[in-house]
Amino acid sequence: MSIDEAIKQMTDKIKAACAGAEVKTAKMSEEEARLSVYAPAGEIQKIKDATFQPAIDLLNKDGLDVQVFVYDKDAPPLKG
């Protein structure tokens, strides 16, 4: 499986868990990607539950590191 296929697979799982989630993708390399997911607070755990094991499986079976970070889309931005 390619990293692009893995990203699509994980994005599909995220959208199945929360259709309104916004997914931003950062491809670090041909083996690593980061998905930043912005969703309502009440949907965060559902997305985490839907993506946890598939992310582990991609790492163990395909050597692909697809990290999923889920954020509350309504939370105010942090001030630095």
Side-chain angles (χ1 to χ4, degrees), residues 2-4 6-7 24-36 63-69 71:
S2 72
I3 192 68
D4 292 321
I7 290 168
K24 295 184 181 180
T25 304
K27 189 162 69 168
M28 314 308 201
S29 69
E30 291 304 313
E31 296 88 29
E32 183 180 359
R34 174 188 171 129
L35 303 181
S36 297
L64 299 173
D65 186 9
V66 180
Q67 302 169 31
V68 179
F69 296 90
Y71 303 100

Side-chain angles (χ1 to χ4, degrees), residues 15-63:
K15 291 292 190 173
C18 177
E22 179 185 351
V23 181
K24 295 184 181 180
T25 304
K27 189 162 69 168
M28 314 308 201
S29 69
E30 291 304 313
E31 296 88 29
E32 183 180 359
R34 174 188 171 129
L35 303 181
S36 297
V37 183
Y38 300 89
E43 302 294 314
I44 290 175
Q45 193 59 50
K46 190 187 308 184
I47 295 167
K48 288 180 178 182
D49 291 345
T51 58
F52 178 77
Q53 191 59 49
I56 299 286
D57 293 343
L58 284 170
L59 187 59
N60 290 334
K61 294 177 184 170
D62 297 296

Side-chain angles (χ1 to χ4, degrees), residues 8-25:
K8 174 157 184 1
Q9 180 183 37
M10 292 300 282
T11 301
D12 290 347
K13 290 186 183 308
I14 292 163
K15 291 292 190 173
C18 177
E22 179 185 351
V23 181
K24 295 184 181 180
T25 304

